[in-house]
Amino acid sequence: MKRYSAFAIAREAARNHIGWGRAWAKRPPKKRYDVIIVGAGGHGLATAYYLGRNFGITNVAILEKGWLGGGNTGRNTTIIRSNYLQDPSAAIYEKARSLYETMSQDLNYNVMFSPRGLMMLAQTEHEVRGYERTAHANALQGVETEFISARRVKELCPIINIDGPRYPVLGALWQARGGTARHDAVAWGYARACSDMGMDILQQCEVTGVRQADGKVTGVDTTLGEIGCDKLGIVVAGHSGVLAGMAGFRLPIESVALQALVSEPIKPCMDVVVMANTVHGYMSQSDKGEMVIGGSADGYNNYTQRGSFHHLEHTVSALIETFPIMSRLKMLRQWGGIVDMTGDRSPILSATPLGNCFINCGWGTGGFKAIPGSGWGFAELMAKGQSPLCDAFGLNRFTEGRFVDESVAAGVAH
Amino acid sequence: MSTRLQTGGRLIDRNQRLSFTFNGTPMTGFAGDTLAAALLGNDQMLMGRSFKYHRPRGVVAAGPEEPNALVGLGQGPRFEPNQRATTTELFDGLSAISQNHWPSLNFDIGAVNNHLSKFFPAGFYYKTFMYPRAAWKHLFEPIVRHSAGLGKVTQPGDPDRYEHFYAFYDVVVIGGGVAGLQAALAAGHAGAKVLVMEQSAHWGGRAPVDGVEIDGKPAEDWVSATLQALEDMENVTLRSRLMGAGVYDHGYLLAYERVSDHRPGTAGPRHRLWRIRAGRIITATGAIERPLSFAGNDLPGVMLASAVRDYVVNWAISPGDRTVIVTNNDDAYRTALALQMAGLIVAAVIDARPTATGALPQAVRDAGIRVETGRGIAKVKGRARVEGVALCAQAGEGAVLEEIPCDVVAMSGGWSPVVHLWSHCGGKLTWDAAQAHFRPDPDRAPADQDGAPFVIAAGAANGHLQAADTLRDAAAAGQNAAVALGRDPADGTAARANAVAEEPLLPVWIMPQGAGPDLRSKMWLDYQNDVKVSDVQLAAREGYESVEHTKRYTTLGMATDQGKLSNINGLAVLSDALGSDIPQVGTTTFRPPYTPISMAAIAGEARGDTFLPLRRTPMQDWHDANGADFEPVGHWQRPYTFRRGGEDRAAAVKREITNTRTNVGLLDASTLGKLVVKGPDAGKFLDMMYTNMMSTLKPGRCRYGLMCDENGFLIDDGVVARLDDDTFLCHTTTGGADRIHAHMEDWLQCEWWDWQVYVANLTEQYAQIAVVGPKARALLENLGGMDVSAEALPFMGWADGTLAGHPVRIYRISFSGELSYEIAVPAGQGRALWDTLLAVGTQFGIMPYGTEALHVMRAEKGFIMIGDETDGTIIPQDLGLDWAISKKKDDYLGKRGQARSHMTDPDRWKLVGLETLDGGVLPDGAYAVAPGSNANGQRKTQGRVTSTYYSPTLGRGIAMGLVHKGPDRMGEELEFARTDGTMMRARIVDPVFYDKDGEKQNV
């Protein structure tokens, strides 16, 4: 693999950039792999990467029915934070956040992690108490957050109206090392690193069946033919129920469309990420200058990946109240991604009723920020059968009632 | 130079001269001009700078596809960035500034990027800026952000108004060109209720510019006559300046009306968002001309051939003195004829096809214009403006055959149907190899709720580029739409257009065919984002093979024009680089809106006071006038406390509590949810909804009830009163009223639909006032009207009666531990009763109190609060509320959930009181630490604070909390961690701090 650097660019500039090779190789599938990961989104690719890096397992294929990074990895609003309330959530999201800090260097691919700071506005007394609780929990979890005053909110984000008539800003939970990253680059960077370790990334390769013998997985049927494996990791977000069906078990997952939109680009005016849960909206400004806005999930189950209008209306009116300059900006584009929601809004990283078959899903509206931590923990779970990061997120928690409920702190998309 | 011609201009009124400024320079134009036309009329071809390389850019197009001519419009709070000059109607006093440059449009420091462009190919930023680690955030990212961004930042305080408009039509026709008008005519004749919308201010589309004749008359005349005919039909509505923005499921259509952008500051809304349900949507949205990719195709003066024609014919603009036309099709020859008719010089028509023998090329040759076939442009000469073109063989590598001086290049690479609206809701496309474009696939149209196609493409938008075919197709579309909705077929005859036969185009994706890397790195695909042919080829070489990968890696089509000009050219270059067919590569996804729409229009009237309108209790005016310090609670704002004189919040709360506990206090409890549950099965229903047994409650009595979800978690609580055998009144928390109502309806409608129960939300029908304190009874007796003695109205009883002349229902319930009456009165009499209570109560020392006093008093008494002691993970058993869980019932919501192993685990955290050792107040939400840390390195915990207050009654801090095996550990001391790492010690005590035996409330 050719190393990326300013020097390499300068060298290539001299010959019209004809010397750049493929970021990830294109190879036909082998007959058999030690591990097959279904789903070449961020979580699947990160899992493969840490299988190789941390456990030396490189005879791995990552199967993708479309194009890699084309699901929720390429559709989210790129927010990274770890200010979660419950211990297991804080552990895996903070692991992820800390891995984002060095990801560009680890992968030699600039994912533009921008720890610009993230605030969650408290706009009711109830929210103030909730975020104070989170701040207390975070202090013991090793997650750096603080509850800040409304005045400080205004200093950090001058375009906020803290004296709105309906919900004045009372303060905010501030995570200075939260921020954003370039979502596509995360998938591409992992794909390049996986390919460099000799793993096969098989795009346009849809899994159509899961093969098993004696209660254990033996391989998968795909549109490129049958491929054998010792272990199978299912990492397919919104379509997890479909794959689980092939493997012979059911999941407590509902799939719904989550709405997002961007404005036309303007010059920099917002240096932080702001989430306003009372009014159901969150916003940041991309490096291109677009205001990136996340909204609510549609109120019905579907797989369409399309934008709908009704929630958008509420999101946008709330944002105009919070950020009055939004009034004269224009919406450039809206879209939807299919999110896999569990009952407690926490993920599933678990062994399954099928031997040697593991599942990583249920990230709901919060998956992007978790990608490296999810990959780190899930790789450990697949390699060793157990991982402290994944312990609390087993499938059995639904039968035991051992929920990890994050909607406690953030009742909406996160 | 570009100038205004002395005559002509079908859209301008030369009698109305308008003044405007561009970058502060005063200019003039005519009524009917677009800003772009007016700027050209003032020799202002340079209109902006590109996003990445800050290259000088002129206008390319004449419509919404324009990528370059973006300006900031207006001033102060009316300033708006990124407005397209080509769709901005000129008005007197317009002020525009160009974008993305410093210090000026003509001299831009940022253009240094242009000279370094070799080092900034597609995706260069993924390969560098990585070291040192902190440099991305502190150095590189700020540079990238400041150099990107395009438009200037807007200001707060938008003074304009926006509104939504809801409409229902059988057939909505999008596009007011001849196809749209013809389709509307056919649908209208068939009796359908029709809306026809046109995004611009003018009807007729391209046909009048292109010199089409319809039914033997100039297209212009046919358009006027047809508009008149449509206006005369009662079932047809015509709207200009209305754009189809987005198509959604079930025939839902969003349309965006720019009501007063062309006359800002006038009465009425600025934008109106139409929210339409349509039986059928006809997209008669026309087609957009494609640029050609040759070196230097982004220099100011290189324009679409159709746009050049538009400027000449519509606005009498000469874009330049000498024009070279470069094309791969016959249509561009119309531009040559239009220019010559206006007296302008056409230096040559360069046609990439080996031959051009059609009627239009022949007419051009006959007019004495030089036509070169088999040729292409090797390079456009010039720096900030076209100065000439270098000719080459299209089949070659770009060896220059000849240089032709010119100041305009008019290019045409063929036409692509506007398929955006067709595609928004799942309509698929098919590749038309003959015309080299994607057009709607009628077999894979967006389907409605019945599986029927609900979008129909018509005319050029359907791939019918010739006027005669367009009209036939549109008439059929209108007819079919109406018939599909059950209307009778009517006269569906299409108007007849003259047919000039056109010869096939030659697909040309780069010019010349064999251009080397040097030329390819000067061929622009996406003008605004500076994506070149070489960038797409680089993406393909690096393995970004999916069209989505290429788009995202190069930013092709991601600018404010969303690739209207660049997408097809880009994916043709990509498919060539991959050696695959264009249809195999496919397109990126078309997303709403068609062109950007204002955020304010999306919000509509929901802003300021009308954003989430506030609900007001009958006593709200009194609160406003008497020092209430409000907090938002659900849809309401409730008084947190009533401050007097110079009191701070804490002092006011303390006074209110002390007074209530010694005299009498008054609380506006109107916001509490009040749900009436009625019917023969009401008792059975409530037995399922609550953990308690409600069916055994006697009329006249109240019972405190707990409500859980299916998982067993406590979601709401409140007092239930049985009004009669069939009727219960269920109180909910303030925030819970709507949610619990919906929760009840959910179960009744989805699970127990055969139970005879109705639920009605009467929250706002009653005002409710809590009269609380040792002197409460004396006060009510003083009002007179009903017996409120302990015998007549015992604790947990209720009674109807009259109080001071008001019909009331009084509940003997207490959330404070004091003697307490909650008085419900019809909302209209709430304020009167409140005033009477205050007036008569003066002798008893009455004072109103707010929510904070309410909270402190309930905590002193050890009562839980939903949202404080609960958070969606707490079961009643955690809170010591086992007594409220009926053991006799077979089932209730949550019973099974509460039986799961984790719920019955003896290790659960349970409710206790907490008493700080130093008398201080524990911080809200603090955790009690335990020794050691867990496998993830987090400090172990053994409990947390759920409610914490300073208790004026006890003169010390009190708290409630959940602690591991708490009730078994009375007297133990715990350490609670502050966020700064210091600890605060507290002792586990009984949660009831005040009047443990209930002697005060039960008197």
Side-chain angles (χ1 to χ4, degrees):
Chain A
M1 179 173 78
K2 177 175 290 199
R3 212 177 147 69
Y4 290 160
S5 67
F7 174 72
I9 292 176
R11 190 183 55 219
E12 284 299 324
R15 47 172 175 165
N16 289 307
H17 298 279
I18 55 168
W20 295 111
R22 297 182 63 95
W24 49 85
K26 192 174 187 177
R27 291 186 279 256
K30 293 190 238 171
K31 280 211 168 66
R32 179 164 198 87
Y33 294 90
D34 293 344
V35 174
I36 287 179
I37 303 290
V38 187
H43 291 263
L45 290 163
T47 301
Y49 173 74
Y50 293 112
L51 275 172
R53 199 189 102 156
N54 294 351
F55 302 98
I57 302 170
T58 55
N59 184 20
V60 176
I62 307 112
L63 276 44
E64 170 56 51
K65 78 168 176 175
W67 40 283
L68 72 87
N72 294 337
T73 302
R75 290 164 196 273
N76 62 81
T77 48
T78 80
I79 293 172
I80 292 165
R81 64 182 180 91
S82 60
N83 54 352
Y84 279 71
L85 177 64
Q86 312 290 2
D87 283 352
S89 317
I92 197 162
Y93 284 105
E94 175 60 15
K95 178 70 188 172
R97 202 204 56 75
S98 68
L99 288 169
Y100 267 119
E101 291 264 7
T102 57
M103 187 182 287
S104 296
Q105 292 74 33
D106 292 345
L107 301 179
N108 180 232
Y109 201 105
N110 191 352
V111 301
M112 302 179 203
F113 174 60
S114 171
R116 52 182 67 179
L118 172 145
M119 60 174 72
M120 298 170 89
L121 301 182
Q123 292 177 286
T124 65
E125 296 287 344
H126 184 251
E127 266 186 312
V128 170
R129 289 194 293 274
Y131 289 142
E132 283 178 344
R133 177 182 167 194
T134 306
H136 279 102
N138 289 162
L140 298 173
Q141 291 155 344
V143 178
E144 279 180 43
T145 61
E146 64 177 311
F147 190 82
I148 58 173
S149 67
R151 216 185 62 190
R152 181 98 176 100
V153 166
K154 184 77 181 169
E155 282 167 13
L156 287 162
C157 187
I159 64 169
I160 284 192
N161 174 22
I162 58 170
D163 301 315
R166 191 64 176 81
Y167 291 112
V169 174
L170 306 175
L173 183 66
W174 170 244
Q175 184 171 24
R177 296 300 289 180
T180 60
R182 176 85 183 95
H183 55 6
D184 293 321
V186 172
W188 298 341
Y190 274 126
R192 178 165 166 268
C194 286
S195 177
D196 189 47
M197 286 190 278
M199 298 180 184
D200 289 344
I201 298 163
L202 306 170
Q203 299 186 79
Q204 310 288 327
C205 175
E206 182 171 356
V207 170
T208 55
V210 174
R211 295 195 167 234
Q212 45 183 292
D214 305 327
K216 287 184 180 164
V217 70
T218 59
V220 290
D221 295 315
T222 77
T223 47
L224 298 183
E226 185 193 340
I227 310 175
C229 67
D230 294 340
K231 288 183 181 173
L232 181 67
I234 299 172
V235 197
V236 295
H239 291 79
S240 294
V242 180
L243 265 289
M246 292 179 197
F249 59 94
R250 295 187 65 199
L251 289 172
I253 293 262
E254 294 188 359
S255 292
V256 296
L258 180 69
Q259 300 296 326
L261 68 144
V262 291
S263 77
E264 294 184 326
I266 51 171
K267 289 293 177 189
C269 64
M270 184 182 184
D271 296 332
V272 297
V273 182
V274 176
M275 310 182 72
N277 288 339
T278 293
V279 293
H280 295 258
Y282 52 96
M283 184 162 96
S284 64
Q285 188 173 21
S286 76
D287 287 347
K288 276 189 73 188
E290 297 149 339
M291 310 308 285
V292 183
I293 297 164
S296 309
D298 285 348
Y300 49 92
N301 297 356
N302 73 93
Y303 288 104
T304 59
Q305 297 191 325
R306 264 180 231 149
S308 69
F309 182 70
H310 298 83
H311 278 302
L312 220 63
E313 178 187 356
H314 300 296
T315 301
V316 169
S317 60
L319 285 172
I320 290 176
E321 284 308 296
T322 315
F323 305 97
I325 70 154
M326 294 299 292
S327 184
R328 286 186 98 91
L329 291 184
K330 296 197 278 303
M331 173 171 82
L332 175 61
R333 185 175 173 90
Q334 68 162 126
W335 67 94
I338 302 306
V339 294
D340 41 342
M341 311 283 265
T342 58
D344 61 0
R345 302 293 182 263
S346 284
I348 297 169
L349 298 114
S350 183
T352 70
L354 178 61
N356 290 343
C357 174
F358 300 83
I359 191 152
N360 179 351
C361 65
W363 289 98
T365 59
F368 175 72
K369 65 180 74 67
I371 283 172
S374 158
W376 185 284
F378 196 54
E380 185 175 26
L381 178 67
M382 288 191 72
K384 294 164 60 178
Q386 194 265 336
S387 162
L389 284 178
C390 304
D391 278 348
F393 299 113
L395 269 172
N396 55 0
R397 76 177 190 272
F398 299 100
T399 46
E400 295 170 2
R402 194 181 295 274
F403 301 119
V404 184
D405 198 327
E406 280 299 336
S407 54
V408 176
V412 295
H414 55 94
Chain B
M1 61 185 290
S2 62
T3 56
R4 181 84 64 178
L5 298 164
Q6 289 305 306
T7 57
R10 56 181 283 269
L11 299 182
I12 54 170
D13 176 359
R14 290 184 192 257
N15 296 320
Q16 274 195 68
R17 191 170 276 279
L18 306 176
S19 302
F20 70 103
T21 65
F22 179 68
N23 288 337
T25 307
M27 298 181 176
T28 63
F30 295 119
D33 266 337
T34 63
L35 175 59
L39 286 169
L40 288 173
N42 287 273
D43 192 25
Q44 185 68 50
M45 175 63 84
L46 177 61
M47 296 189 194
R49 291 270 173 175
S50 65
F51 197 86
K52 185 173 171 187
Y53 300 138
H54 290 243
R55 285 176 64 88
R57 288 290 164 73
V59 67
V60 175
E65 66 274 29
E66 172 61 35
N68 288 339
L70 303 179
V71 297
L73 214 59
Q75 281 164 330
R78 282 206 163 92
F79 174 79
E80 188 159 345
N82 302 320
Q83 294 281 71
R84 275 180 311 280
T86 51
T87 55
T88 300
E89 294 177 55
L90 192 68
F91 55 85
D92 206 46
L94 179 151
S95 118
I97 53 167
S98 53
Q99 304 193 140
N100 210 35
H101 50 67
W102 185 86
S104 74
L105 178 60
N106 288 317
F107 178 73
D108 177 13
I109 293 284
V112 69
N113 289 0
N114 185 29
H115 300 293
L116 298 173
S117 63
K118 268 199 147 181
F119 300 96
F120 301 157
F124 74 99
Y125 30 71
Y126 299 123
K127 295 173 178 158
T128 181
F129 300 154
M130 286 180 271
Y131 299 93
R133 192 154 68 81
W136 173 254
K137 183 186 173 213
H138 296 292
L139 178 64
F140 301 127
E141 185 175 47
I143 293 173
V144 169
R145 289 185 72 195
H146 281 272
S147 123
L150 220 57
K152 260 174 57 176
V153 179
T154 40
Q155 294 183 19
D158 184 353
D160 288 321
R161 221 163 56 66
Y162 303 83
E163 70 181 24
H164 287 187
F165 184 70
Y166 296 79
F168 301 84
Y169 290 95
D170 294 333
V171 178
V172 175
V173 181
I174 303 171
V178 294
L181 297 177
Q182 175 70 76
L185 207 55
H189 279 314
K193 187 183 171 199
V194 180
L195 168 69
V196 201
M197 63 177 80
E198 162 56 38
Q199 62 184 351
S200 76
H202 305 286
W203 298 90
R206 294 209 56 79
V209 180
D210 289 350
V212 173
E213 285 190 0
I214 302 174
D215 287 346
K217 296 176 288 193
E220 189 115 43
D221 296 350
W222 182 85
V223 168
S224 309
T226 306
L227 277 174
Q228 191 56 54
L230 289 169
E231 263 166 29
D232 291 345
M233 294 166 78
E234 278 184 4
N235 54 330
V236 177
T237 306
L238 290 152
R239 283 278 181 154
S240 62
R241 299 189 177 96
L242 180 60
M243 177 192 80
V247 173
Y248 302 86
D249 283 323
H250 303 170
Y252 191 70
L253 170 70
L254 212 58
Y256 176 63
E257 185 177 8
R258 300 206 288 160
V259 184
S260 63
D261 271 350
H262 59 296
R263 42 182 172 87
T266 51
R270 176 169 172 246
H271 297 154
R272 183 180 289 132
L273 197 69
W274 290 55
R275 309 175 64 166
I276 305 168
R277 287 279 174 198
R280 290 291 181 274
I281 295 166
I282 295 177
T283 57
T285 44
I288 291 177
E289 196 169 22
R290 292 192 295 264
L292 284 165
S293 301
F294 45 84
N297 65 347
D298 74 322
L299 277 182
V302 179
M303 299 168 72
L304 293 174
S306 58
V308 169
R309 200 150 82 227
D310 286 338
Y311 286 113
V312 171
V313 176
N314 285 336
W315 297 289
I317 292 294
S318 157
D321 300 336
R322 278 171 66 85
T323 300
V324 165
I325 293 165
V326 55
T327 182
N328 65 347
N329 60 72
D330 277 7
D331 180 67
Y333 287 82
R334 290 193 171 98
T335 300
L337 296 173
L339 285 166
Q340 196 180 51
M341 195 175 297
L344 297 166
I345 299 166
V346 179
V349 178
I350 301 166
D351 196 324
R353 296 174 294 184
T355 57
T357 55
L360 282 162
Q362 201 48 52
V364 166
R365 285 194 185 93
D366 292 347
I369 296 171
R370 176 182 170 193
V371 174
E372 290 284 344
T373 57
R375 297 284 180 263
I377 290 180
K379 194 177 180 188
V380 180
K381 317 281 283 184
R383 291 178 69 85
R385 178 74 208 246
V386 172
E387 289 166 13
V389 295
L391 237 59
C392 65
Q394 169 60 18
E397 293 177 1
V400 176
L401 303 173
E402 178 188 353
E403 289 189 3
I404 304 178
C406 64
D407 58 357
V408 174
V409 177
M411 60 184 167
S412 177
W415 291 79
S416 297
V418 174
V419 295
H420 301 64
L421 293 161
W422 168 272
S423 303
H424 283 170
C425 199
K428 302 290 186 242
L429 305 174
T430 180
W431 177 251
D432 182 331
Q435 305 196 86
H437 62 211
F438 282 106
R439 59 177 167 77
D441 181 348
D443 296 331
R444 294 183 294 164
D448 68 8
Q449 56 276 24
D450 303 318
F454 75 92
V455 181
I456 304 167
N462 199 24
H464 298 287
L465 298 177
Q466 309 304 321
D469 303 337
T470 289
L471 289 167
R472 263 197 306 276
D473 187 48
Q479 171 96 339
N480 292 342
V483 170
L485 296 169
R487 303 286 174 177
D488 294 329
D491 177 20
T493 330
R496 296 166 64 87
N498 67 334
V500 184
E502 289 185 30
E503 300 223 304
L505 61 65
L506 173 76
V508 169
W509 306 116
I510 64 171
M511 181 174 268
Q513 189 109 43
D518 196 42
L519 290 180
R520 293 201 303 260
S521 67
K522 295 186 179 69
M523 296 177 183
W524 264 259
L525 290 167
D526 186 316
Y527 291 101
Q528 195 182 119
N529 274 357
D530 279 324
V531 181
K532 302 170 293 183
V533 168
S534 55
D535 292 316
V536 170
Q537 290 171 331
L538 175 65
R541 189 180 311 131
E542 294 194 87
Y544 300 91
E545 294 175 343
S546 150
V547 64
E548 286 285 352
H549 282 158
T550 300
K551 165 190 152 181
R552 289 150 182 263
Y553 191 64
T554 63
T555 72
L556 175 81
M558 290 171 73
T560 63
D561 55 291
Q562 292 281 286
K564 291 187 179 66
L565 293 186
S566 62
N567 275 350
I568 300 297
N569 286 350
L571 68 93
V573 170
L574 177 65
S575 67
D576 178 62
L578 297 174
S580 57
D581 296 335
I582 289 174
Q584 265 184 304
V585 171
T587 65
T588 54
T589 313
F590 295 90
R591 303 282 191 188
Y594 173 59
T595 69
I597 65 177
S598 67
M599 296 284 182
I602 296 171
E605 289 97 341
R607 53 198 306 168
D609 290 338
T610 47
F611 167 70
L612 296 180
L614 200 62
R615 289 162 84 170
R616 298 172 63 83
T617 74
M619 285 75 95
Q620 200 93 0
D621 287 341
W622 191 93
H623 304 331
D624 279 332
N626 287 276
D629 198 343
F630 289 102
E631 66 161 321
V633 183
H635 298 291
W636 312 83
Q637 280 191 333
R638 300 188 71 185
Y640 179 93
T641 185
F642 296 88
R643 280 151 74 163
R644 289 185 177 180
E647 273 179 342
D648 63 9
R649 271 184 156 198
V653 170
K654 184 176 172 185
R655 171 181 50 73
E656 289 170 8
I657 293 170
T658 308
N659 187 68
T660 303
R661 292 239 187 262
T662 50
N663 293 313
V664 58
L666 204 57
L667 176 79
D668 179 0
S670 306
T671 62
L672 283 182
K674 304 169 204 76
L675 306 179
V676 165
V677 178
K678 190 174 178 64
D681 293 323
K684 176 168 124 183
F685 173 62
L686 292 183
D687 280 349
M688 286 304 292
M689 300 307 294
Y690 287 93
T691 61
N692 323 61
M693 185 77 93
M694 291 300 178
S695 54
T696 57
L697 187 62
K698 300 275 182 293
R701 298 293 297 167
C702 301
R703 183 167 290 163
Y704 172 70
L706 302 175
M707 214 179 263
C708 297
D709 63 12
E710 305 96 290
N711 282 316
F713 298 126
L714 187 53
I715 55 171
D716 209 67
D717 68 349
V719 170
V720 177
R722 189 166 202 163
L723 303 185
D724 58 43
D725 276 350
D726 277 0
T727 317
F728 294 82
L729 187 120
C730 303
H731 288 102
T732 75
T733 56
T734 295
D738 296 339
R739 182 167 48 83
I740 298 302
H741 184 203
H743 174 69
M744 288 184 172
E745 288 290 349
D746 189 9
W747 285 95
L748 280 175
Q749 293 178 31
C750 299
E751 302 294 333
W752 304 318
W753 44 269
D754 53 339
W755 292 12
Q756 292 179 286
V757 183
Y758 284 100
V759 181
N761 186 345
L762 301 186
T763 302
E764 283 172 296
Q765 272 60 51
Y766 291 96
Q768 201 142 315
I769 303 168
V771 181
V772 181
K775 297 179 184 169
R777 182 174 290 137
L779 168 55
L780 297 195
E781 281 169 350
N782 209 285
L783 291 182
M786 62 187 286
D787 187 353
V788 293
S789 65
E791 296 72 33
L793 186 49
F795 186 54
M796 296 309 277
W798 64 270
D800 282 343
T802 306
L803 205 60
H806 300 286
V808 295
R809 174 173 297 144
I810 304 185
Y811 306 93
R812 251 309 288 285
I813 54 181
S814 176
F815 196 43
S816 56
E818 298 297 333
L819 170 64
S820 167
Y821 297 86
E822 288 207 10
I823 307 168
V825 60
Q829 299 180 40
R831 175 65 193 275
L833 178 59
W834 177 267
D835 288 346
T836 304
L837 284 162
L838 280 170
V840 178
T842 314
Q843 54 187 302
F844 301 101
I846 197 163
M847 286 181 192
Y849 64 92
T851 51
E852 185 64 3
L854 166 85
H855 291 158
V856 176
M857 288 193 284
R858 67 92 194 168
E860 289 174 341
K861 184 67 184 154
F863 290 144
I864 64 134
M865 187 87 179
I866 297 293
D868 286 345
E869 276 62 47
T870 70
D871 63 3
T873 68
I874 306 300
I875 55 176
Q877 292 87 339
D878 296 339
L879 303 176
L881 294 170
D882 304 69
W883 59 267
I885 301 170
S886 168
K887 311 287 185 294
K888 296 179 196 152
K889 294 194 294 189
D890 288 340
D891 201 6
Y892 60 85
L893 279 181
K895 186 179 170 90
R896 180 182 167 280
Q898 288 162 3
R900 284 187 276 192
S901 59
H902 184 57
M903 302 299 171
T904 56
D905 189 341
D907 277 333
R908 287 185 73 85
W909 291 6
K910 299 209 168 183
L911 188 75
V912 292
L914 297 166
E915 206 172 67
T916 51
L917 300 194
D918 64 2
V921 180
L922 281 165
D924 236 318
Y927 281 76
V929 295
S933 32
N934 65 20
N936 290 314
Q938 299 166 322
R939 182 70 190 260
K940 283 187 179 167
T941 54
Q942 55 178 327
R944 65 178 173 88
V945 175
T946 56
S947 296
T948 174
Y949 304 97
Y950 173 76
S951 161
T953 315
L954 302 172
R956 57 173 294 123
I958 60 166
M960 296 160 81
L962 292 158
V963 172
H964 179 226
K965 296 186 172 183
D968 304 336
R969 298 168 63 185
M970 286 296 156
E972 261 187 60
E973 286 173 17
L974 296 173
E975 277 194 326
F976 287 85
R978 296 191 184 91
T979 49
D980 63 6
T982 61
M983 296 290 166
M984 194 162 180
R985 295 181 70 81
R987 185 180 297 116
I988 301 175
V989 296
D990 187 283
V992 184
F993 292 94
Y994 176 76
D995 187 26
K996 287 188 199 300
D997 301 324
E999 286 165 359
K1000 289 185 178 282
Q1001 68 186 15
N1002 198 6
V1003 291

